[in-house]
């Protein structure tokens, strides 16, 4: 499943540079599928919606750092564990029960993000 950042986030920013998919954004910052990936053109999200990879999307959080579930692969194919959780000083990077995915699904998502 994807990782999420809880309200306990202290906005230290340690997690952001660790994400191999550039799925972590500072609160209030718009996100794009193309950021840190090889995705170009049209991209289908997990909910079936289609967006342009370069389209600026509404921030998921305005107060704290956040993780875009459509870009999070729990670092599968890159690292042994989610790097955001490994570096978080307050343990606020936790599994997101809203997005449950198998390792195979996460690896397929990684391949889709990094062609």
């Amino acid at each position: 499943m994807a990782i999420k950042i809880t309200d306990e986030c202290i906005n230290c920013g340690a997690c952001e540079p660790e994400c191999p998919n550039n799925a972590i954004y500072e609160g209030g910052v718009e996100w794009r599928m193309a950021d840190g990936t090889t995705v170009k053109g049209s991209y289908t999200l997990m909910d079936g919606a289609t967006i342009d990879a370069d389209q600026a999307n509404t921030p998921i959080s305005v107060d704290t750092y956040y993780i875009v579930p459509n870009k999070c692969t729990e670092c599968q194919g890159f690292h042994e564990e989610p790097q955001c959780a490994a570096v978080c000083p307050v343990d606020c990077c936790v599994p997101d029960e809203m997005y449950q995915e198998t390792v195979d699904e996460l690896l397929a998502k990684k391949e889709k993000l990094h062609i």
Side-chain angles (χ1 to χ4, degrees), residues 5-6 8 15 18 29 34 43 65 96 99 109 114-115:
I5 298 176
T6 65
E8 286 80 33
C15 57
E18 299 302 320
V29 174
Y43 186 87
Y65 279 81
D96 188 343
Y99 300 96
K109 186 193 297 185
H114 302 282
I115 299 172

Side-chain angles (χ1 to χ4, degrees), residues 15-67:
C15 57
E16 185 180 24
E18 299 302 320
C19 183
N21 300 313
N22 198 42
I24 303 174
Y25 292 81
E26 186 174 359
V29 174
E30 295 176 327
W31 64 273
R32 292 171 175 76
M33 284 306 299
D35 293 344
T37 71
T38 58
V39 176
K40 295 183 186 332
S42 182
Y43 186 87
T44 303
L45 302 174
M46 292 185 301
D47 67 2
T50 301
I51 63 170
D52 183 271
D54 290 314
Q55 169 185 322
N57 298 283
T58 305
I60 295 173
S61 173
V62 294
D63 298 323
T64 60
Y65 279 81
Y66 65 90
I67 299 173

